[in-house]
Each structure stands twice: as C-alpha cells, then as structure tokens.
C-alpha cells in the first residue's frame, strides 16, 4: 500500500520553514491505519520484545495497537511534568525548540527488551533521548520503528548504533 499519498503535508506548521507531516489523514483511513500497525507489528515479531515504548502523543496512537497485537505491555514516554509517579527525565534539542521526555522509574525490569515507536523520525533527537532514558534504567533498546522518516534531517545517522525501521521515507 502506498501511504505516502494519504499523509498530508502542511507547510509552515508550527513555524515557518517546517513541512509538517500530518498523519490524521492516515489515521482516519481504516485500511491505511491497519496497514501501518500491521507492518510495524510484523517487523517486531521474532525480536523477543518485552515492551513497546510509545512517545507522546502520536507514538501512543501507533505504539499501543502494536503492543496489543504483539501481546506485550505498553510504556508511555511523556513530555515533562505529566507522569504522576517517580520519573527519569532528559532535556534535548528538537527540530524546532527544546523538550523534555520522561519515563516512570518502574516502567520495566532491568534487562527487559524494549522497542520504541513514534510516528516520525526527524533529527532523531527525541528518539535518542528516549534510548538514553531506557538504558539509564537498565533496559535493552531493541530499536525504533516509525511510519515516516525525513531522510534529509539524518536521524538515522544520529541513531546509527541502533536498528531503525520506517515505512515511508521523504527526501525533502
Ligand atoms: P526529532 O526529535 O527531530 O526526530 O522529532 C521527532 C518528533 O517531532 C516526533 O515525535 C514527530 O512527531 C515530531 N516532528 C518533528 N518534525 C516533524 C514534522 N516535520 N512533521 C511532523 N512531526 C514532526
């Protein structure tokens, strides 16, 4: 299935110069949504994964059904100040601005194998921060799976020590 045509490009959102990839047009298409969840689930099979970690907020939409399909637990990675219990946190640079990601300190056991899921790989800063959180807590990062990869931002290079998988790649 060619999902490229279903992803909406919104120029200059949220700031001038950003080509925002809007996946709401994909999510409302039941075949396209199922295709994305199934493809990522398929990629995770056989990797001995204990948990899917989804990055707020669009990583929840994709990651939770993948976890359900794989019959593993789901771990929410949230922006700063939103998780209620004890957290591990990291501040990092975004394609636009700066952000914080947090995980509950008791999200998983040491040695658990975790796949990170998000909608889009841009600079890779968010995903690298999440990898660091997982490793600080003694988890094993299996890799990261995305629907969309913006190749020109070289996120794959930033994550070069880890397996990265994406369904569609944009060159510009
Ligand atoms: P990065 O840390 O640069 O890889 O940015 C990844 C995060 O920012 C993901 O959670 C994306 O949802 C969001 N993001 C960054 N750039 C874009 C973009 N051009 N279109 C849509 N989402 C984006």
């Amino acid at each position: 299935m060619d999902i490229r045509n279903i992803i909406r490009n919104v120029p200059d959102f949220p700031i001038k110069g950003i080509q925002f990839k809007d996946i709401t047009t994909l999510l409302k298409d039941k075949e396209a949504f199922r295709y994305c969840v199934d493809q990522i689930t398929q990629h995770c099979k056989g990797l001995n994964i204990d948990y899917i970690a989804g990055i707020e907020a669009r990583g929840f939409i994709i990651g939770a059904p993948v976890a359900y399909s794989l019959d593993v637990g789901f771990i929410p990675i949230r922006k700063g100040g939103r998780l209620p219990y004890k957290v591990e946190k990291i501040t990092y640079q975004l394609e636009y601005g700066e952000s914080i990601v947090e995980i509950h300190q008791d999200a998983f056991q040491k040695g658990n194998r975790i796949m990170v899921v998000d909608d889009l790989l841009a600079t890779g800063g968010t995903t690298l921060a999440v990898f660091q959180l997982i490793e600080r807590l003694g988890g094993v990062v299996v890799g990261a799976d995305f629907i969309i990869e913006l190749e020109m931002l070289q996120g794959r290079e930033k994550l070069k020590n880890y397996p990265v998988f994406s369904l569609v790649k944009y060159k510009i």
Side-chain angles (χ1 to χ4, degrees), residues 18-21 58 95-96 118-120 122-126 150:
I18 300 292
Q19 300 291 329
F20 193 86
K21 303 296 179 226
R58 280 163 279 155
E95 187 187 359
Y96 37 89
D118 203 356
D119 66 326
L120 181 144
T123 65
T126 308
L150 303 183

Side-chain angles (χ1 to χ4, degrees), residues 9 13-14 18-23 55-59 79 92-96 118-128 146 148 150 152-153 155 158-159:
N9 189 71
F13 181 87
I18 300 292
Q19 300 291 329
F20 193 86
K21 303 296 179 226
D22 174 18
I23 61 161
I55 305 177
E56 183 177 3
R58 280 163 279 155
K79 308 283 161 60
Y92 66 99
Q93 294 302 313
L94 276 178
E95 187 187 359
Y96 37 89
D118 203 356
D119 66 326
L120 181 144
L121 173 63
T123 65
T126 308
T127 306
L128 189 62
F146 305 89
I148 302 164
L150 303 183
M152 65 290 184
L153 295 173
K158 188 172 268 175
L159 307 176

Side-chain angles (χ1 to χ4, degrees), residues 8-172:
R8 175 160 54 200
N9 189 71
V10 183
D12 299 326
F13 181 87
I15 56 165
K16 203 163 169 44
I18 300 292
Q19 300 291 329
F20 193 86
K21 303 296 179 226
D22 174 18
I23 61 161
T24 63
T25 42
L26 182 153
L27 296 172
K28 75 175 182 186
D29 180 322
K30 64 181 183 180
E31 272 104 27
F33 184 30
R34 180 176 295 278
Y35 171 83
C36 291
V37 171
D38 287 350
Q39 288 289 309
I40 293 177
T41 301
Q42 209 49 45
H43 175 254
C44 289
K45 281 194 176 148
L47 296 177
N48 212 4
I49 288 164
D50 295 303
Y51 292 100
I52 296 291
I55 305 177
E56 183 177 3
R58 280 163 279 155
F60 293 179
I61 301 171
I62 310 301
V66 169
Y68 180 87
S69 296
L70 285 172
D71 197 24
V72 301
F74 177 80
I75 299 170
I77 309 288
R78 301 211 61 180
K79 308 283 161 60
R82 295 180 184 172
L83 285 171
Y85 189 61
K86 292 179 205 156
V87 295
E88 192 68 34
K89 70 166 88 176
I90 288 189
T91 304
Y92 66 99
Q93 294 302 313
L94 276 178
E95 187 187 359
Y96 37 89
E98 192 182 80
S99 193
I100 297 173
V101 280
E102 295 182 349
I103 186 171
H104 271 150
Q105 286 178 1
D106 64 353
F108 56 82
Q109 303 288 306
K110 282 193 172 51
N112 281 160
R113 293 172 56 78
I114 298 163
M115 178 66 88
V116 175
V117 172
D118 203 356
D119 66 326
L120 181 144
L121 173 63
T123 65
T126 308
T127 306
L128 189 62
V130 171
F131 285 175
Q132 286 164 355
L133 280 182
I134 292 169
E135 288 178 348
R136 270 197 209 162
L137 293 176
V140 177
V141 173
V142 178
D145 286 359
F146 305 89
I147 298 177
I148 302 164
E149 177 175 354
L150 303 183
E151 283 187 316
M152 65 290 184
L153 295 173
Q154 297 177 330
R156 193 177 278 271
E157 179 59 24
K158 188 172 268 175
L159 307 176
K160 64 175 181 288
N161 297 329
Y162 304 87
V164 169
F165 174 76
S166 63
L167 299 183
V168 289
K169 297 176 172 61
Y170 287 83
K171 294 209 185 304
I172 50 157

